[in-house]
Amino acid sequence: DQQRLLEELRQRNELTQLALAEQSLRGAIVNAALEGILIIDHHGRIIEFNPAAEKSFGWTRAEVLGRTMSELIVPPEMRRAHEEGLERFRSTGEHRIVGKRLELPALRADGSRFLAELTIVQLEGKDPVQFAGFFRDISERKQMEEALLHERARFVGLFEQAPDPVLILDADGRISLANRASATTLSYSPAELVGRTFSELFPAEEREEIAALASGQRPPPRPRAILRKDGSAIPVELNLGPVELDGGRFLVVTLRDISERLHAESVQRQLELRLRQARKMESLGTLAGGVAHYFNNLLA
């Protein structure tokens, strides 16, 4: 009996040491976590508050222990729902937000607010029940996302309102986006252009060179003929430039229809030719008049 008692005491001592080691390890993990972690009991009282939570909320651990989560970090307009949720869990065991990732406003010690990403889990083996809340301040991330959305909306506005056709090519030279002006100039709808290889829009003898341009080479400054949907060709100027979109590298191609400009230049050349011819005829007329006057003098 004495031997059995000693064995039981030894086993209990080992279990106690193991439990203390596990508790120490759990505490070290909680304290080292980058996320704010707080643990509450079934009445909503805070029983653990890690350093990351202190940094996020502006309270020290000593200041919050024993106080309710509702009075410290839950905004006033949300406290009733929070307390009713705890009461519902105590009465029925039902919970609606445990295990879900939520984005909610939270209060700091100075009364200011920030947007927090919250996940609540029920701790196993705890009687009475305890919950752990994992908080992350996502205010800066949300601001960056909003700035990105604003910049994207601005880009889309400029892209769609551009008077010239603008095409976005992927790394394989395929059209990823096409603006409304592309439909007007090329007679294709934007949906019909997306997925096509850019070089397909040009005559066969130019496709190899156009494919090289789509890979990033700078085009020689000369007009090129691009094919419309009906097969007719129109002269255009090309302007290409790389751009970073959604983490990928794309090529922005701007096309300018120069049909009217070339026509105006042709008309101007013809007018200049006619003017030169008129001046030549005027010179010849002057010369002929002078010769006639000279012969008249001789005859006289």
Side-chain angles (χ1 to χ4, degrees):
D1 290 343
Q2 186 177 6
Q3 183 66 26
R4 182 172 58 82
L5 181 60
L6 289 173
E7 181 63 22
E8 288 180 358
L9 289 173
R10 186 184 65 79
Q11 291 179 355
R12 289 179 184 177
N13 183 53
E14 289 179 353
L15 290 174
T16 301
Q17 291 180 354
L18 180 60
L20 289 173
E22 289 179 351
Q23 184 177 359
S24 177
L25 178 60
R26 185 165 57 248
I29 293 173
V30 168
N31 288 333
L34 297 177
E35 291 183 324
I37 300 175
L38 60 84
I39 299 176
I40 61 173
D41 62 18
H42 62 297
H43 291 292
R45 292 189 293 261
I46 299 173
I47 58 178
E48 188 55 76
F49 202 73
N50 76 338
E54 292 180 324
K55 183 178 179 181
S56 293
F57 295 103
W59 296 99
T60 65
R61 182 175 182 273
E63 289 173 324
V64 303
L65 291 184
R67 299 175 68 179
T68 64
M69 173 180 166
S70 176
E71 68 174 306
L72 294 179
I73 66 175
V74 178
E77 69 274 11
M78 300 177 66
R79 288 173 185 169
R80 182 176 178 180
H82 171 76
E83 292 166 358
E84 287 177 350
L86 279 174
E87 179 58 34
R88 182 170 55 252
F89 177 79
R90 288 193 294 267
S91 302
T92 66
E94 177 188 358
H95 50 72
R96 297 178 181 175
I97 63 173
V98 172
K100 297 180 180 179
R101 182 170 294 181
L102 307 170
E103 292 182 3
L104 299 169
L107 287 179
R108 294 189 179 93
D110 61 6
S112 62
R113 299 186 178 208
F114 68 95
L115 188 63
E117 186 179 76
L118 165 66
T119 304
I120 297 177
V121 297
Q122 181 178 337
L123 298 181
E124 296 182 0
K126 297 295 183 180
D127 188 20
V129 172
Q130 294 179 3
F131 298 96
F134 299 85
F135 286 86
R136 179 180 298 168
D137 186 345
I138 59 172
S139 302
E140 185 176 347
R141 190 187 80 191
K142 282 295 180 181
Q143 290 174 357
M144 293 178 63
E145 289 176 355
E146 289 176 4
L148 182 60
L149 288 174
H150 176 74
E151 189 64 26
R152 179 172 293 180
R154 181 171 173 270
F155 166 77
V156 170
L158 293 173
F159 178 73
E160 290 296 346
Q161 295 172 15
D164 294 321
V166 181
L167 306 174
I168 309 295
L169 309 184
D170 63 17
D172 297 323
R174 293 188 178 276
I175 301 171
S176 299
L177 288 173
N179 69 345
R180 287 192 292 263
S182 302
T184 304
T185 301
L186 303 176
S187 301
Y188 289 97
S189 69
E192 289 175 321
L193 286 170
V194 171
R196 286 178 174 268
T197 303
F198 180 56
S199 59
E200 292 177 13
L201 301 177
F202 293 83
E205 62 272 14
E206 291 204 35
R207 289 177 184 173
E208 185 175 350
E209 185 178 359
I210 293 298
L213 297 180
S215 67
Q217 297 182 17
R218 294 187 63 84
R222 66 176 178 85
R224 297 175 183 276
I226 194 168
L227 301 177
R228 305 182 73 189
K229 187 176 181 179
D230 60 6
S232 61
I234 57 172
V236 295
E237 284 183 344
L238 293 181
N239 187 27
L240 295 86
V243 66
E244 296 284 339
L245 292 174
D246 296 329
R249 189 174 179 84
F250 294 83
L251 198 66
V252 178
V253 180
T254 304
L255 306 172
R256 174 159 293 176
D257 182 354
I258 57 173
S259 302
E260 293 184 2
R261 192 187 81 188
L262 293 180
H263 176 69
E265 290 174 354
S266 176
V267 170
Q268 184 178 358
R269 285 194 298 269
Q270 290 177 7
L271 290 175
E272 289 174 351
L273 178 60
R274 289 177 183 176
L275 179 60
R276 286 196 297 270
Q277 290 175 342
R279 287 176 177 173
K280 286 181 181 178
M281 294 303 294
E282 182 182 0
S283 299
L284 287 174
T286 302
L287 177 62
V291 171
H293 181 70
Y294 175 75
F295 278 106
N296 285 336
N297 289 339
L298 290 176
L299 291 172

